[in-house]
Amino acid sequence: MTAQFPAVLPTYSRTSLAFRRGEGAWLIEENGTRYLDFTSGIAVNALGHAHPALVQALTEQAQALWHVSNLYDIPAQARLAEALVEHTFADTAFFTNSGTEAAELAIKMVRKYWYEIGEDRPTILTFEGAFHGRSTGAIAAAGSEKMTKGFGPLMPGFKVLPWGDHDALRAALDTSVAAVMIEPVQGEGGIRPLPDQCLKDLRALCDQTGALLVLDEVQCGMGRTGRLFAHEWAGITPDIMMVAKGIGGGFPLGAVLASARAASGMTAGTHGSTYGGNPLACAVGAKVIEIITTPGFLDDVRRKAGFFRQRLEALVAAHPDVFEDVRGLGLMLGLKCRAPNLDLVKAAQAEHLLTVPAADNVVRLLPPLTITEAEISDGVNRLDRAATALA
Ligand SMILES: *Cc1c(COP(=O)(O)O)cnc(C)c1O
């Protein structure tokens, strides 16, 4: 033991808040102080904290069986896969424990697809501002200096394009491209939605050259934008999609969804995971999907999102020195700031409202999908007081 070195590897700059309990959209400290949670564990607690149906699903599974390996059939895993296949473009699903692991499989699946076809397609196109996780492959895919510096040699095979540069995309998307990998709404990059028309054009460009379209919906999926998956707004479907965060409602779970064609190279022995698709995670995931796809649930998310956005537009208009604009889709919203975003996060915390900073001087607002209109109003009032304190 070295006295000066923290017992927890200091890769995060944390605040000193520590929560004892969670209830819906609220986090509660040991001493009873309540914070309104517009972070949802960074888009993870999609149904809020301690949702009774999730607690029940987890508890029942915990009393029956925690883990068997993927050497055996896992009924909860099959149920979850069937629900995902029923509600999406996908024919098949592989379960992981995180978004990063989903990104790794997506990359492997793309490479194996072209290997089986016998075409040499060395390149996957990605975009500046992207975030696909922190593995050696995922940081190479995103390519930012911040994430990659000091971790070379980086995994080859990615070409990072500027965000929003259609000419650069057209020039790069030739028959050497195996796939295009993109977030329909960039999360870490600063809540930057890809306009519907761009996603449609991207789908068409991929079809022209044969490149697979890989969507990273780890943050923007699972109802976050008011549709089960964000790409539904553009009326297109991907070939492969990464999912995680919200799908486990707080239990570690991720997935790669794919069409039968895109998945065709992934035969027995080509991939695996000890914990991926375990009974506990899948029991919770199946309940999350069941609730989010209940008729009316997403209509309610869209209605609340419209209300939230209106309130935020008024907030921005009232504090032009602090805010520049509102961006995002559904309950994946960002306040582009003029003041330093970290100052606003701090000022909001002083008002007992939790928010998340993102790149591009944005403050992210990611409340649970189950938040009420009254709680949204309460949160906007806290932001108003925070902005007043800043100015
Ligand atoms: C969080 C995130 C990941 C990585 O997920 P982990 O579960 O942290 O590994 C990948 N892609 C996007 C878009 C994310 O927001």
Side-chain angles (χ1 to χ4, degrees):
M1 194 184 89
T2 302
Q4 279 80 22
F5 209 81
V8 174
L9 191 73
T11 58
Y12 281 95
S13 51
R14 300 169 195 268
T15 68
S16 57
L17 286 175
F19 296 106
R20 176 83 178 84
R21 282 189 310 117
E23 276 173 20
W26 297 88
L27 282 169
I28 302 147
E29 287 183 299
E30 187 69 55
N31 67 9
T33 308
R34 295 165 71 86
Y35 284 73
L36 185 53
D37 184 11
F38 279 11
T39 72
S40 305
I42 314 191
V44 167
N45 305 96
L47 302 179
H49 300 283
H51 189 292
L54 299 191
V55 172
Q56 188 188 350
L58 182 60
T59 308
E60 278 174 8
Q61 188 61 52
Q63 283 161 351
L65 183 66
W66 289 23
H67 178 81
V68 292
S69 94
N70 281 299
L71 294 172
Y72 306 101
D73 273 342
I74 299 175
Q77 184 184 126
R79 250 198 352 267
L80 177 56
E82 279 154 19
L84 287 166
V85 164
E86 181 193 335
H87 290 287
T88 69
F89 74 96
D91 298 308
T92 189
F94 182 95
F95 295 102
T96 67
N97 308 287
S98 69
T100 303
E101 288 170 59
E104 290 294 324
L105 171 56
I107 294 162
K108 282 180 69 178
M109 191 180 279
V110 163
R111 290 182 169 183
K112 191 66 163 30
Y113 173 82
W114 289 109
Y115 172 84
E116 293 295 336
I117 285 183
E119 261 187 60
D120 183 30
R121 297 223 184 192
T123 308
I124 296 177
L125 299 181
T126 57
F127 296 87
E128 273 172 12
F131 184 80
H132 302 297
R134 295 290 201 144
S135 63
T136 50
I139 62 173
S144 78
E145 157 115 1
K146 187 175 153 230
M147 278 189 284
T148 58
K149 193 172 179 193
F151 296 110
L154 295 178
M155 193 170 108
F158 298 100
K159 183 174 165 66
V160 185
L161 300 175
W163 180 258
D165 186 339
H166 295 209
D167 294 335
L169 175 64
R170 273 197 189 86
L173 221 182
D174 57 25
T175 51
S176 71
V177 172
V180 178
M181 186 157 115
I182 193 166
E183 295 154 85
V185 185
Q186 279 192 348
E188 304 302 312
I191 310 290
R192 298 199 293 182
L194 190 65
D196 289 349
Q197 192 55 49
C198 294
L199 199 45
K200 282 183 189 153
D201 290 349
L202 183 56
R203 174 73 270 181
L205 281 174
C206 286
D207 289 341
Q208 279 163 29
T209 63
L212 298 174
L213 179 59
V214 181
L215 295 183
D216 182 344
E217 293 228 17
V218 168
Q219 192 161 151
C220 63
M222 292 306 294
R224 182 57 46 196
T225 68
R227 298 261 185 199
L228 185 55
F229 289 103
H231 66 263
E232 294 170 24
W233 288 108
I236 59 101
T237 57
D239 301 293
I240 297 172
M241 177 167 73
M242 292 107 87
V243 183
K245 294 203 164 101
I247 192 175
F251 201 93
L253 175 63
V256 173
L257 307 190
S259 68
R261 184 174 71 96
S264 57
M266 302 305 296
T267 50
T270 56
H271 198 63
S273 169
T274 296
Y275 291 124
N278 68 78
L280 286 173
C282 290
V284 179
K287 187 52 79 176
V288 171
I289 266 273
E290 183 191 316
I291 292 173
I292 293 182
T293 57
T294 299
F297 184 93
L298 288 172
D299 297 311
D300 191 47
V301 170
R302 291 194 289 270
R303 192 180 47 72
K304 291 183 294 194
F307 172 74
F308 197 178
R309 187 157 195 127
Q310 258 179 356
R311 292 293 315 265
L312 290 175
E313 304 278 2
L315 175 79
V316 168
H319 298 279
D321 44 338
V322 177
F323 302 115
E324 200 173 307
D325 62 28
V326 186
R327 27 164 101 164
L329 267 180
L331 291 177
M332 184 173 185
L333 293 165
L335 287 166
K336 166 86 171 160
C337 296
R338 285 194 213 281
N341 62 346
L342 293 179
D343 290 356
L344 187 76
V345 170
K346 253 192 224 138
Q349 192 176 306
E351 298 294 334
H352 294 181
L353 173 71
L354 304 172
T355 60
V356 207
D360 206 19
N361 204 34
V362 164
V363 171
R364 267 179 287 180
L365 308 172
L366 306 164
L369 307 182
T370 49
I371 193 157
T372 64
E373 254 182 36
E375 287 164 336
I376 290 173
S377 278
D378 185 344
V380 175
N381 292 341
R382 287 169 201 247
L383 281 169
D384 185 49
R385 292 198 292 273
T388 303
L390 265 193

